[in-house]
Amino acid sequence: MKFNHKFELQNEAPITREYKCDKINARIDFIGKAAIRVAIFNDGSSLLASYNVCPDNKLSASGRERLCLDGFEASEPDVEKISGKEIFRLKNGVEIRLDYENFHLSYYINNNLMFADRAPMAYNFENEFGKDYIHYLTRETDELILGLGDKGGALNKNGRSFKIETSDSMGYNAETSDPLYKHIPFYICENSVGAYGVYYDTSAASYMDFGKEINNYYEPYKYFKTEDYCLVYYVFFGTKLEILQQFAKLCGRQAFPPKWSFDYCASTMAYTDAPDSKKQFDTFLKKIKQTGLSCKGFYLSSGYTSIGEGRYVFNWNREKFPDPEGFINEFSDNEIQIIPNIKPAFLTSHPFYNDICRNGLFIKNPDGSPFVTQFWDGLGSYLDFTNPKAFDFWKKQVNEKLLDYGITATWNDNNEFDIKDCDALADCGGNKVNASLLRPALTYLMVLASYEAQLAKNPELRPFLSSRSGSIGIRRLAQTWSGDNRTAFEDLRFCHNIGLTMSLSGIYFYGHDLGGFTGNMPTRELLLRRLQHGIFEPRFTIHSWNQDGSATMPWSYPDILPSVKALFKQRRRLLPYLYNCAYDAVKNEIPINAPLLLYYDDCKDSESNSFMLGKYILATCIFDEGEKMTSVHLPKKHNWFLGNKKYSGGQTVDLKILPTDEMPYFIREGSVIPTDEGECTFGAKEKLCLTIFPIDEGIFDAEYFDDDGKALIILKEIVSDLISRLNAQNQRLFLNIKTLVKKSFLPVLSFARLTAES
């Protein structure tokens, strides 16, 4: 009977309960001390594989069964049965009450209701709410909601609605455009009772509403709707940070990028679009040496593949680049890695198109012909990465057209797989699945194929990949960025929020196109403000496609070059600390960038100009044109250092920051900050210093990590002379350096555990 579904317990095991009502199945899995999984599906429904959940960190081209329990730290709850109801008590104290009528779940902390399925019915069991799978939850009107991937506007998503799918959003408005490039239906909610997180494990196009919709017949609610064939979701409990960490671990470890990728990596569309591309790059090399700016990478835009006006992946334009191998080696000899752009669609005029078609490697129409859709320069077809032959074809091309020339990194771009036609089919091992349900999964498989090719070519070298699009699964393979942003001052603040939102969604290695990607050449002020923010981002890249054909470069305005060089020097100084933050992100799921409210209860302003770099540096930027002053609220839990001056926590400090200034930042007491005090010049070697920022009294611990920055087998030892700095701060230091040789995707060479005592 519609709106009145009586479920019955069918099977029970220590960590799993299964329920049924007619043809409707419901299941609860207790996957951790503070987490559960819920599944709703009909008899005969197809539970497509998950490419998102991966707690055992196994990279697989076939994905993972949606209801698999492998890799979870399962925890049996205490169970109390009442007529028509059950109560589950998790190890962390959360109480979950299940009413068999309409399978209604509610969640309590200390007997206080934190949230619940919307009464009287929260699920679309018999199309009572339309045709899609839907989940309604209660909401408080003033709750804090964080996450959903690269979503723009305010950091707090309360009161808004979003489409969850991937889109090629070139020139988007960072405040209002939606959707953007990522597909991550995960959010953290904090209300008057506590905090919880919800993740919907799907690759299908979905919709999330956090209170934009209201209905007189119900109390305030939020809801999720998906085109998938089932509903599978995870619920996490704890602090906001603990919830983020649980979600991130659920989805597999973030790939650890090589050290060089944290230095300045240049890019522009203008150089590869120019008819004299090689000359443009020769000029760049001369200019980077002349200015003395540190540079370790160059993102090679797709113009290198051009034939006429089109872009043809894996084709080298020999007029622009007569000797690709020589070009790559020239940059490599100068310790600059070339990161070439590759795209997953082949234009119908591509030299490879007919061969790929004959081999059946494209996404197909029902009649077996290749599915053709709009792509950059015309019509094209997407490679079907669910087909093992297509997957291997891609690996072969990456190897022969790029890696054999000496390239060691790839830029996986335009990989949103813009397929919305319900007739387009992916192979999926011969099972033929609607490709529109797999779009971010196809992105994941594309990047996995590139990853495997790179690892096979250089098995001892840490792979570096960048991907514009993807689901949360992409974190296991690549870094990302916020896509093709606008060269506009009004977007600066909201790009900042997009970055923090990605961090709060488990994507820690990200950045922005500094200066702005599309529009006019940025003004002096905008370029400097972007760089001031960029020195604290994991990815430090200026990238542009200016309307007048110019390239935004560090030297675009000679009169502000001294300020640009000073900011580059600051970035170089911070690299050892950034690399430690990267290690902490991979090992401990500590975001590289995060809003203060993730850590400090007295910092409730979600739109603050301040943010954390790792656990110990508090940075503040100016986002508005013409502004020079900003205020910083210092969390009261700690004292903070600005240079040599110490500030007590809990106060607000005013800072004057001119666009031409180096960036001031606060350092938390009880920390040891590694910096590079060497010359910030092209090709300069690192000169490591560790500086202690003491506490007033007592003892604190700190860790320092380093390795050779690139290899899977680590052989380097670290030697640091700390005596002068320690004496200057009147500290006693106990230093123990351990050297480990380990072959791993998370390389650990050596770390110093330091204990300082006032």
Side-chain angles (χ1 to χ4, degrees):
M1 179 179 176
K2 290 196 174 187
F3 291 99
N4 186 15
H5 302 275
K6 303 287 187 180
F7 281 80
E8 295 181 354
L9 178 63
Q10 297 289 301
N11 296 297
E12 57 183 300
I15 63 165
T16 297
R17 320 283 279 192
E18 294 179 323
Y19 308 85
K20 198 168 184 66
C21 175
D22 298 325
K23 296 181 180 181
I24 307 166
N25 301 279
R27 171 170 164 166
I28 303 176
D29 294 299
F30 300 92
I31 61 168
K33 295 179 180 179
I36 67 167
R37 178 176 65 195
V38 179
I40 307 289
F41 55 97
N42 291 332
D43 288 348
S45 293
S46 175
L47 275 68
L48 300 176
S50 173
Y51 292 89
N52 307 315
V53 173
C54 188
D56 51 11
N57 290 298
K58 293 180 179 178
L59 302 179
S60 169
S62 58
R64 172 186 169 99
E65 289 185 10
R66 193 82 73 92
L67 300 183
C68 178
L69 289 169
D70 294 347
F72 293 131
E73 296 178 1
S75 180
E76 183 178 357
D78 294 330
V79 182
E80 180 182 349
K81 292 184 179 180
I82 307 170
S83 177
K85 298 180 180 180
E86 285 181 280
I87 298 175
F88 308 103
R89 295 182 179 90
L90 306 186
K91 301 303 182 185
N92 71 332
V94 170
E95 184 175 283
I96 303 172
R97 302 176 187 177
L98 170 63
D99 189 328
Y100 288 0
E101 185 171 347
N102 289 328
F103 198 76
H104 185 272
L105 290 161
S106 52
Y107 304 84
Y108 291 79
I109 296 179
N110 298 323
N111 216 34
N112 295 311
L113 177 64
M114 182 163 50
F115 73 105
D117 288 343
R118 191 187 73 175
M121 195 170 77
Y123 305 98
N124 195 26
F125 290 128
E126 287 192 83
N127 298 327
E128 291 95 338
F129 304 121
K131 67 175 183 176
D132 296 317
Y133 274 85
I134 304 177
H135 183 207
Y136 290 95
L137 287 171
T138 61
R139 66 181 291 265
E140 294 184 4
T141 56
D142 59 350
E143 57 193 18
L144 173 69
I145 296 180
L146 308 167
L148 287 195
D150 57 347
K151 297 301 183 185
L155 196 68
N156 186 359
K157 308 304 186 231
N158 190 5
R160 300 171 62 195
S161 62
F162 302 91
K163 195 167 186 180
I164 312 295
E165 70 172 5
T166 58
S167 176
D168 186 338
S169 308
M170 203 271 283
Y172 64 88
N173 183 309
E175 181 181 11
T176 61
S177 295
D178 181 70
L180 297 179
Y181 302 92
K182 312 297 188 298
H183 183 291
I184 307 179
F186 163 76
Y187 65 90
I188 301 168
C189 180
E190 184 177 57
N191 60 26
S192 62
V193 176
Y196 62 93
V198 183
Y199 172 59
Y200 295 93
D201 181 19
T202 181
S203 293
S206 303
Y207 182 83
M208 189 82 76
D209 188 301
F210 291 125
K212 186 175 181 179
E213 177 182 298
I214 58 175
N215 188 313
N216 181 56
Y217 297 109
Y218 302 97
E219 295 298 320
Y221 61 87
K222 52 184 173 281
Y223 72 91
F224 172 80
K225 179 168 64 174
T226 181
E227 296 177 5
D228 205 344
Y229 301 137
C230 62
L231 184 71
V232 178
Y233 67 92
Y234 294 77
V235 185
F236 311 94
F237 306 97
T239 66
K240 294 186 290 293
L241 177 60
E242 289 169 346
I243 290 164
L244 174 59
Q245 290 172 321
Q246 289 180 79
F247 167 64
K249 290 177 181 177
L250 174 86
C251 299
R253 182 184 293 140
Q254 177 88 54
F256 192 18
K259 187 184 290 186
W260 62 260
S261 67
F262 295 94
D263 208 327
Y264 169 56
C265 293
S267 188
T268 179
M269 292 281 291
Y271 287 3
T272 55
D273 280 358
D276 58 345
S277 289
K278 181 60 170 61
K279 182 179 178 181
Q280 299 285 335
F281 280 93
D282 290 342
T283 301
F284 172 84
L285 264 184
K286 292 176 183 176
K287 195 70 176 179
I288 203 78
K289 293 177 181 178
Q290 177 187 334
T291 56
L293 296 172
S294 181
C295 178
K296 294 295 184 184
F298 203 111
Y299 286 89
L300 189 68
S301 292
S302 56
Y304 80 97
T305 69
S306 64
I307 301 175
E309 297 298 317
R311 297 163 199 270
Y312 297 82
V313 63
F314 300 127
N315 172 75
W316 280 92
N317 183 315
R318 297 288 176 152
E319 292 181 1
K320 294 180 179 182
F321 296 93
D323 179 13
E325 187 172 11
F327 158 69
I328 292 157
N329 288 337
E330 183 180 12
F331 270 71
S332 180
D333 290 344
N334 285 280
E335 297 185 351
I336 300 176
Q337 305 297 317
I338 293 294
I339 314 163
N341 183 287
I342 47 179
K343 307 179 190 301
F346 291 74
L347 295 174
T348 55
S349 53
H350 196 293
F352 296 172
Y353 188 88
N354 290 335
D355 284 343
I356 298 172
C357 181
R358 277 192 294 271
N359 287 303
L361 306 186
F362 287 129
I363 298 291
K364 298 183 181 66
N365 294 310
D367 64 3
S369 62
F371 173 74
V372 178
T373 187
Q374 185 67 35
F375 196 67
W376 252 48
D377 303 297
L379 295 175
S381 298
Y382 286 99
L383 207 63
D384 181 2
F385 287 90
T386 71
N387 182 336
K389 292 181 179 179
F391 189 90
D392 290 340
F393 167 81
W394 182 267
K395 289 170 62 175
K396 185 174 186 289
Q397 300 308 313
V398 169
N399 186 57
E400 293 180 353
K401 305 303 191 301
L402 301 173
L403 306 183
D404 280 354
Y405 290 161
I407 284 171
T408 61
T410 56
W411 171 11
N412 297 260
D413 198 17
N414 297 94
N415 52 358
E416 290 75 30
F417 286 84
D418 192 13
I419 305 171
K420 299 179 181 179
D421 190 322
C422 294
D423 290 331
L425 298 175
D427 181 74
C428 284
N431 293 320
K432 299 293 185 294
V433 173
N434 187 332
S436 67
L437 298 174
L438 299 171
R439 291 173 56 194
L442 288 165
T443 303
Y444 172 82
L445 290 170
M446 170 200 176
V447 181
L448 179 62
S450 300
Y451 182 98
E452 288 188 2
Q454 291 173 225
L455 194 60
K457 182 69 175 181
N458 298 292
E460 305 303 331
L461 197 64
R462 199 179 309 168
F464 177 77
L465 301 92
S466 184
S467 177
R468 188 172 71 178
S469 185
S471 63
I472 187 61
I474 210 71
R475 79 192 299 265
R476 302 192 293 271
L477 302 168
Q479 61 130 250
T480 189
W481 79 106
S482 60
D484 297 338
N485 57 1
R486 297 190 304 168
T487 306
F489 232 112
E490 56 267 27
D491 277 23
L492 177 54
R493 176 182 300 277
F494 296 110
C495 277
H496 165 74
N497 285 353
I498 287 172
L500 292 185
T501 299
M502 283 196 283
S503 272
L504 293 167
S505 307
I507 302 292
Y508 304 144
F509 295 99
Y510 74 90
H512 308 286
D513 283 348
L514 302 179
F517 176 73
T518 181
N520 298 317
M521 173 74 73
T523 65
R524 291 166 172 80
E525 182 182 0
L526 178 56
L527 178 58
L528 290 171
R529 290 302 192 197
R530 286 277 192 180
L531 289 173
Q532 285 178 333
H533 187 271
I535 65 173
F536 301 112
E537 297 169 13
R539 174 188 186 261
F540 187 57
T541 294
I542 300 172
H543 183 38
S544 62
W545 193 17
N546 298 332
Q547 291 178 352
D548 63 0
S550 63
T552 306
M553 285 288 157
W555 46 80
S556 289
Y557 296 106
D559 55 316
I560 63 169
L561 185 56
S563 296
V564 172
K565 292 176 75 171
L567 291 170
F568 270 58
K569 184 174 182 178
Q570 257 198 309
R571 172 69 175 198
R572 181 69 181 257
R573 280 191 81 240
L574 283 169
L575 285 181
Y577 177 73
L578 269 163
Y579 196 58
N580 272 257
C581 292
Y583 175 72
D584 208 13
V586 175
K587 181 184 178 187
N588 300 314
E589 301 294 350
I590 300 295
I592 297 176
N593 289 153
L596 274 64
L597 56 78
L598 186 66
Y599 302 105
Y600 300 108
D601 291 337
D602 61 316
C603 298
K604 298 185 180 299
D605 181 9
S606 61
E607 304 311 309
S608 168
N609 287 17
S610 299
F611 58 101
M612 296 299 296
L613 175 59
K615 293 183 289 187
Y616 300 111
I617 286 181
L618 190 163
T620 300
C621 291
I622 289 179
F623 299 122
D624 298 313
E625 188 172 12
E627 290 293 323
K628 299 179 177 65
M629 296 295 300
T630 188
S631 296
V632 184
H633 174 76
L634 299 176
K636 63 184 179 182
K637 188 176 180 180
H638 303 288
N639 293 322
W640 300 84
F641 289 87
L642 180 62
N644 292 323
K645 185 176 181 180
K646 183 167 69 174
Y647 292 81
S648 58
Q651 64 176 303
T652 298
V653 178
D654 292 330
L655 287 181
K656 183 178 183 180
I657 310 174
L658 298 175
T660 53
D661 288 349
E662 292 185 32
M663 288 300 292
Y665 53 85
F666 292 87
I667 297 177
R668 204 192 86 184
E669 66 176 353
S671 61
V672 178
I673 304 297
T675 54
D676 181 357
E677 301 296 338
E679 293 292 325
C680 181
T681 56
F682 183 76
K685 301 302 180 184
E686 181 184 86
K687 182 180 179 182
L688 179 69
C689 284
L690 300 177
T691 304
I692 290 182
F693 293 85
I695 54 179
D696 288 339
E697 60 181 25
I699 296 173
F700 72 91
D701 293 339
E703 288 187 347
Y704 171 66
F705 169 83
D706 202 4
D707 61 12
D708 75 348
K710 59 184 181 181
L712 297 181
I713 295 181
I714 310 303
L715 302 173
K716 178 184 169 186
E717 288 192 16
I718 297 174
V719 180
S720 302
D721 180 8
L722 304 172
I723 301 301
S724 60
R725 284 190 169 269
L726 297 175
N727 287 342
Q729 298 225 10
N730 193 28
Q731 298 291 301
R732 287 161 46 205
L733 177 76
F734 302 89
L735 178 62
N736 175 30
I737 294 183
K738 299 178 181 178
T739 300
L740 306 175
V741 178
K742 181 178 181 182
K743 184 173 182 179
S744 168
F745 293 106
L746 176 59
V748 178
L749 162 66
S750 61
F751 63 91
R753 187 165 189 82
L754 305 101
T755 305
E757 185 179 82
S758 295

